[in-house]
Each structure stands twice: as C-alpha cells, then as structure tokens.
Amino acid sequence: MAETQLTNEEFFTQLAGLFSKSQEKQHGSIFLTQKRFTYSADSAPSSPVKVADDPLWDLHPENPLPVIVRATNGKSKEKRAGKVKLSTVVQPDALETFYARYAEVCKAGMQALKKRDRSKRKKDKAKKRKTGGEGEKKG
Amino acid sequence: MPYFTTSQEWFHQSSLLLQARPTTTRITSKYTISSSTSSATARRKRKAQARASDTTADANTSDTTISTTPAPSSQPAGPKATLTLKTFDPESGVCLKYQTTKAAEVGRLIASLGKLGRGMAGLAELAEDATMVDAPPTEQGPGLSTPVSDAAGKEAKPGASETKAAPQAGGGGGKKRKKGKK
C-alpha cells in the first residue's frame, strides 16, 4: 500500500474533507470499508494463525484484533489520478470512541440524504386535533 | 442481489456471517450522490424518449407510450443520495445488502457498524442487545421503496440463503453448519 496509515483523528479530518468535496460537487460516491486487521509488518505472523486441521481457526482469537477502516472516493481507471485513499487501524480498546466520532462525521457528511419529513407529521397532528385526539398514534 | 428490507434484518444476518467468518468478511458502506441534473440522467431521459418514439413507429398503440413517458419526468428534482451497506465474504461469496435514502437512519446504521466492528475485533458482544429495538420511524415518505412488509422480508431471506449455499459447494464449511458446531 502506497499510503501510510493515518491516526484515527487524521482519518476523521480527511474523511470530513472527502464528504464536503462530494457535497460541493453534488455528485460522486464515497466508499467506507471495515475489516479485521490481520496483517503485521513484523516477521511474526498475525495473531490468529491459520491451523490447517481446524476449519474454525479464526473464530476465537486469543487476543482481540484491531479493525482497519478504509475510505475512498472510488475514482479508478482513467480518473485514478484523483483517487483519494484513506485508511486507519482502530485498536480494539478504541472501538467505542472511534465509532462515536465516526457516526458524527458520517451524519455531518451525508447531507444529501433525505431529511425526516416534518410536514407530514404536522398534517397528522392537525388531523388528530380535528378528530378530537383520536386516530392512530404516530412516532 | 436482494436487498434486505429492514436494517435489523441486515444487521442480524451480518452478525451471523461475522461470527462464522470473522477474518475474511468486510463491510462496505457506499454513500452516493447522483444529481438529477447530471448528464447521466439527461442521457437516460433521451434514451427513454427515443424508445418511446420507436414503439410508436413500430406499433400504433400510442396510448401505452403516452403512459410510459411521464414516468421518468415525475422523478423528484434535486440530488438523490443513497447509503448502501454491504457485508461481503469473498471466501464463501455471501453478500448481504441494505440500502436507505433516509438521513435519520445514518446514526443507527453507524452504531450497528460499530457493533459489527466489535465482532471483527474478536470482542464479545455487548450485554445489552436491545439497541436495535428502537424501530425505524413509523412515518414513511411518499414513494419510498422501503415500507416494511413482512412478506418481502421473508422473500429476501431464502434468496440470501441461496447465495450463501451456492458458492460453498467447493469451499466447505457452510455458515449454518459452523454455527451448529460452535
């Protein structure tokens, strides 16, 4: 991999940048991937070692493993020059805080999704008032 | 490839898959904005018109073509964004997908990604498992393709299990069997 791993914090800042860029353009995709991180740069093999005679070798690792999270804007082929690739490794004890921040960044970044339709609820309320508080309960 | 109709169902199946194959399974979330003014939509419209004029030339059932032409133009204006979650295990070929267009779901979906992330890390599931119970908003926007219908949910399940079963003929170690062994 050409890119070096980012720290979790750097990853979030750059991911926010990626989201705002797509928001400006009103076009494009962002891919976010998460996967168990089993690669180690050292000569020591990664911790769940594949055991040939046990098909369930990876189900119960003795130590919790980190998770790698990647983000790209999906530019490939002739547009590869504009490709942005981000990746970060999340340690198992940092998962909770990471996903809390991740949710914040994604919620802030995915602005083009449909907002909750408030107008309909208002209409329902008005209808309810007319019928004297009867009718099905919403929300 | 069938999509699950509810995020709960997607989450449930994904967590089962992760339990079976925690090392090879990956979860990809794709966030796409496609603006309706883009050239792609224009091309699509032009194509639809061309097709409509073709059918009028071929057959003289003009009333059917009239009914088909307003359909593309009735699409809502403004950019359309979707969020697609995909759980994929390349070893067995299992692919589980869920798609939404609602911003209200993002928080819940990322939370479930976090829970699945715990499974990936090899950590035990959190004790309180009731987080997914707060159901999606009961109100559905007009024209949404995600109204929760039980029939559709049941339909999606056998389709998904078929995709699971098929590529595993040579690979060995089906998901269901593994679960039983454990």
Side-chain angles (χ1 to χ4, degrees):
Chain A
M1 213 196 301
E3 285 81 8
T4 47
Q5 305 276 332
L6 303 168
T7 65
N8 292 356
E9 209 43 51
E10 279 173 345
F11 177 79
F12 285 130
T13 27
Q14 297 206 24
L15 180 61
L18 205 60
F19 271 125
S20 64
K21 218 179 282 171
S22 79
Q23 187 65 34
E24 272 168 39
K25 276 183 154 177
Q26 292 290 305
H27 182 69
S29 300
I30 291 172
F31 294 78
L32 304 160
T33 308
Q34 63 183 56
K35 194 174 182 296
R36 176 179 275 190
F37 186 64
T38 49
Y39 172 82
S40 72
D42 320 322
S43 55
S46 53
S47 70
V49 189
K50 193 160 187 166
V51 184
D53 37 303
D54 183 9
L56 305 178
W57 57 276
D58 59 350
L59 292 198
H60 305 290
E62 61 260 56
N63 298 315
L65 289 148
V67 173
I68 183 165
V69 180
R70 298 191 179 105
T72 124
N73 57 1
K75 297 262 184 266
S76 63
K77 305 265 173 83
E78 61 267 24
K79 290 176 185 162
R80 184 164 287 277
K83 184 156 188 169
V84 178
K85 276 164 74 177
L86 313 170
S87 76
T88 189
V89 172
V90 187
Q91 294 304 321
D93 52 347
L95 274 173
E96 301 280 317
T97 46
F98 179 86
Y99 276 101
R101 282 277 283 135
Y102 195 41
E104 271 173 41
V105 172
C106 289
K107 267 193 250 176
M110 298 179 181
Q111 285 299 323
L113 288 171
K114 240 185 262 174
K115 304 281 188 308
R116 205 188 286 268
D117 193 3
R118 303 267 176 203
S119 56
K120 202 183 170 196
R121 185 181 293 178
K122 253 180 226 163
K123 222 187 282 167
D124 278 353
K125 266 186 192 161
K127 214 189 284 169
K128 242 181 249 172
R129 227 174 285 137
K130 245 181 234 171
T131 54
E134 274 186 325
E136 80 276 73
K137 219 180 160 194
K138 283 264 176 181
Chain B
M1 183 53 58
Y3 285 87
F4 288 111
T5 46
T6 63
S7 60
Q8 285 98 324
E9 185 63 18
W10 173 84
F11 173 74
H12 179 64
Q13 296 294 331
S14 298
S15 62
L16 291 179
L17 176 60
L18 262 172
Q19 276 169 30
R21 294 180 183 274
T23 304
T24 49
T25 300
R26 63 169 180 251
I27 303 175
T28 306
S29 339
K30 183 177 76 164
Y31 169 65
T32 304
I33 308 174
S34 56
S35 77
S36 57
T37 54
S38 74
S39 56
T41 326
R43 222 179 297 138
R44 218 181 302 135
K45 262 183 198 163
R46 233 177 293 139
K47 231 180 234 174
Q49 271 172 8
R51 221 181 299 130
S53 56
D54 272 2
T55 43
T56 36
D58 287 348
N60 40 13
T61 52
S62 53
D63 45 352
T64 52
T65 53
I66 286 165
S67 65
T68 49
T69 27
S73 59
S74 68
Q75 280 171 350
K80 279 186 297 179
T82 54
L83 179 63
T84 309
L85 302 178
K86 182 169 91 172
T87 314
F88 179 59
D89 170 33
E91 216 167 278
S92 60
V94 180
C95 182
L96 310 165
K97 292 214 268 188
Y98 175 71
Q99 192 174 55
T100 186
T101 55
K102 283 182 277 182
E105 278 191 285
V106 174
R108 191 168 349 111
L109 292 174
I110 303 285
S112 56
L113 283 182
K115 267 181 269 169
L116 294 170
R118 279 182 70 84
M120 280 181 184
L123 295 165
E125 273 179 48
L126 289 172
E128 30 98 39
D129 207 0
T131 335
M132 287 300 283
V133 175
D134 58 334
T138 45
E139 48 177 315
Q140 298 276 354
L144 269 182
S145 58
T146 49
V148 185
S149 68
D150 278 350
K154 271 163 201 157
E155 239 173 56
K157 247 191 253 176
S161 54
E162 263 169 41
T163 48
K164 271 166 219 158
Q168 275 173 353
K175 182 182 125 195
K176 294 240 163 75
R177 191 152 55 86
K178 272 189 171 178
K179 259 192 74 201
K181 265 194 217 168
K182 199 185 75 164

